[in-house]
Amino acid sequence: PGGEVDAGAAFVFERSGTSWTFRQKLVASDHQAANRFGTALALDGADLLVGAPGALSTRGAGYVFVAPFP
């Protein structure tokens, strides 16, 4: 995926003590301009739901990532 305007992304960090380490960049499987992927997030244990209100012609969509992330 390349520079689509407002496509969005979510970034995964891991905490160890007081330090945070970048682990991964997540993008929507249908990475499109104006999706605004990452506008909302929900975490359940290590599983992640990422909202994209601009996806599907602005109907919005949620993307589920089951740990360990791809």
Side-chain angles (χ1 to χ4, degrees):
E4 292 88 352
V5 175
D6 291 331
F11 297 87
V12 179
F13 290 83
E14 183 177 5
R15 181 178 168 185
S16 178
T18 59
S19 298
W20 291 88
T21 304
F22 171 76
R23 293 293 178 210
Q24 188 169 3
K25 177 182 176 181
L26 302 174
V27 295
S29 54
D30 59 344
H31 195 73
Q32 299 290 319
N35 272 3
R36 298 189 342 260
F37 177 89
T39 300
L41 303 169
L43 189 61
D44 181 18
D47 300 332
L48 179 64
L49 173 66
V50 181
L56 303 174
S57 300
T58 69
R59 289 186 307 241
Y63 298 82
V64 176
F65 295 88
V66 177
F69 304 129

